[in-house]
């Protein structure tokens, strides 16, 4: 059975509804919406575990602090179908404050103290016995030198390397050069010099929000897949859900170049996510993913899981 290791962050998401984002110096009122497991690493690992249940093992490697937030996070991943390797640190547990305005746009601030405490040696050790046929997923919440060490070692072992360079401040050109599949949104693609540059020597998937996604390779557009129209309620975690569903579809089909069905299923999963409130609670369930992968066409399931 294939193995997937996600090395990244786990954070407690605290979401507040506001009428409008505050101006500098302003104090505004807000309403508490939810508190849930979050962080890009945890988001991607949980969605991957649900999408690959019974097909591949998924392990999350992340850090938490010795505080109530850490206890909430450990309990929150306990019921997910993944192996959560949560290392205890002396730093406060990472958390995110998410502000959602009346237009359902989000502004997110995430702490990174625990995530950035991971060392290059620890990241390499987290690869364990992985080899060809297995996969490594990284984001931008670790220190760049830590991510680069894991990517380089994975390359030496023939491990499939997937990078989502977000937040961009945690990524650099050396990391981009060490990945096989790069998944970016429009802003991230622009930040790193555009899709033509970024896709040289690797597969690049650029998400376009409700417009769908594109696949690029060696500076050439290979594929464009439209999005699934939905009534959007909450965009939190949609990009992480997209990446996880895309990677899961490719693993299930045994390929490293995404096809239209893989991208279509990823767009379906992201559509499900934005049509529900919350983060992990908004991701498709194990049963919904299973139905998607056995359905015809691009993998959209029937019944209540159908995007709205």
């Amino acid at each position: 059975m294939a193995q997937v290791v996600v090395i990244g962050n786990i954070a407690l998401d605290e979401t507040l509804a506001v009428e409008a984002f505050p101006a500098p110096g302003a104090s505004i009122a807000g309403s508490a919406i939810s508190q849930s497991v979050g962080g890009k690493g945890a988001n991607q690992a949980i969605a991957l575990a649900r999408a690959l249940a019974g097909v591949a093992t998924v392990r999350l490697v992340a850090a938490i602090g010795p505080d109530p937030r850490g206890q909430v996070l450990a309990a929150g991943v306990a019921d997910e179908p993944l192996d959560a390797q949560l290392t205890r640190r002396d730093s406060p547990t990472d958390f995110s404050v998410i502000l959602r305005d009346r237009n359902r746009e989000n502004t997110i601030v995430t702490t990174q103290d625990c995530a950035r405490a991971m060392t290059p040696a620890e990241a390499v050790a987290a690869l364990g016995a992985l080899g060809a046929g297995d996969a490594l997923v990284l984001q931008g919440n670790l220190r760049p030198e830590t991510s680069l060490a894991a990517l380089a070692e994975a390359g030496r072992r023939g491990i499939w390397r997937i990078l989502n360079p977000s937040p961009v401040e945690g990524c650099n050109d050396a990391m981009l050069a060490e990945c096989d599949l790069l998944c970016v949104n429009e802003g991230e693609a622009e930040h790193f010099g555009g899709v033509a540059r970024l896709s040289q020597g690797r597969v690049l998937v650029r998400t376009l929000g409700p417009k769908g996604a594109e696949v690029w390779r060696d500076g050439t557009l290979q594929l464009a897949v439209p999005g699934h129209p939905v009534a959007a309620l909450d965009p939190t975690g949609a990009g992480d859900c997209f990446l996880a569903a895309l990677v899961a579809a490719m693993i299930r089909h045994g390929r490293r170049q995404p096809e239209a069905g893989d991208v279509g299923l990823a767009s379906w999963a992201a559509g499900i996510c934005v049509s529900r409130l919350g983060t992990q609670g908004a991701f498709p369930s194990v049963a919904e993913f299973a139905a998607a992968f056995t359905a015809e066409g691009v993998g959209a399931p029937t019944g209540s899981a159908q995007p709205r």
Side-chain angles (χ1 to χ4, degrees), residues 248-288:
M250 295 172 69
I251 289 174
R252 281 175 173 266
H253 291 111
R255 51 189 175 228
R256 297 293 178 260
Q257 176 75 30
E259 296 186 2
D262 305 322
V263 179
L265 187 133
S267 292
W268 162 80
I272 287 287
C273 181
V274 302
S275 71
R276 300 169 176 171
L277 294 175
T279 309
Q280 276 89 16
F283 293 165
S285 65
V286 171
E288 287 174 326

Side-chain angles (χ1 to χ4, degrees), residues 12 14 22 27 65 75-76 79 93 96 98 106 141 150 165 171 212 225 281-282 288 301 305:
L12 190 63
E14 299 178 354
S27 293
D79 292 331
T93 297
S96 298
I98 303 169
N106 282 356
N141 282 293
C171 300
V225 178
E288 287 174 326

Side-chain angles (χ1 to χ4, degrees), residues 10-307:
I10 185 169
L12 190 63
D13 282 354
E14 299 178 354
T15 304
L16 302 174
V18 296
E19 182 67 14
F21 298 133
S27 293
I28 63 172
S31 300
I33 296 177
S34 65
Q35 184 184 75
S36 62
V37 176
K40 295 188 71 65
N43 290 347
Q44 293 172 11
I46 288 171
L48 272 162
R50 293 181 188 179
L52 289 170
V55 174
T57 60
V58 177
R59 178 160 48 96
L60 169 65
V61 179
I64 57 176
D67 49 30
R69 283 193 178 105
Q71 296 172 15
V72 171
L73 291 176
V77 297
D79 292 331
E80 295 291 342
L82 84 163
D83 174 14
Q85 183 180 319
L86 304 181
T87 304
R88 298 279 179 173
R89 302 289 185 183
D90 292 332
S91 303
T93 297
D94 294 331
F95 68 98
S96 298
V97 175
I98 303 169
L99 300 183
R100 195 180 77 204
D101 71 4
R102 62 178 178 272
N103 298 316
R104 302 192 185 279
E105 295 291 339
N106 282 356
T107 293
I108 304 173
V109 180
T110 301
T111 67
Q112 299 175 312
D113 295 331
C114 273
R116 288 183 171 258
M118 185 177 295
T119 67
E122 288 172 327
V124 169
L127 299 177
L130 266 65
D134 298 322
L136 166 67
V137 180
L138 286 169
Q139 317 81 36
N141 282 293
L142 308 179
R143 286 182 291 138
E145 58 266 32
T146 299
S147 295
L148 183 58
L151 288 165
E153 177 62 22
R156 285 189 284 270
R157 299 190 196 185
I159 299 167
W160 186 34
R161 300 166 297 176
I162 301 103
L163 175 64
N164 171 215
S166 177
V168 295
E169 294 80 8
C171 300
N172 55 33
D173 284 345
M175 288 171 57
L176 301 176
E178 286 283 353
C179 71
D180 305 303
L181 173 64
L182 190 61
C183 190
V184 296
N185 62 24
E186 293 173 276
E188 292 154 2
E190 184 67 22
H191 177 87
F192 288 110
V195 291
R197 173 181 180 269
L198 287 175
S199 62
Q200 295 296 329
R202 67 191 55 81
V203 177
L204 178 140
V205 176
R206 178 172 64 170
T207 58
L208 305 171
K211 295 179 290 184
E214 300 171 338
V215 178
W216 290 71
R217 179 148 198 170
D218 294 326
T220 302
L221 177 64
Q222 305 284 314
L223 187 66
V225 178
H228 287 273
V230 296
L233 293 178
D234 186 351
T236 309
D240 298 327
C241 188
F242 178 98
L243 178 143
L246 175 71
V247 171
M250 295 172 69
I251 289 174
R252 281 175 173 266
H253 291 111
R255 51 189 175 228
R256 297 293 178 260
Q257 176 75 30
E259 296 186 2
D262 305 322
V263 179
L265 187 133
S267 292
W268 162 80
I272 287 287
C273 181
V274 302
S275 71
R276 300 169 176 171
L277 294 175
T279 309
Q280 276 89 16
F283 293 165
S285 65
V286 171
E288 287 174 326
F289 270 121
F293 283 115
T294 57
E296 296 290 331
V298 297
T302 59
S304 61
Q306 186 72 23

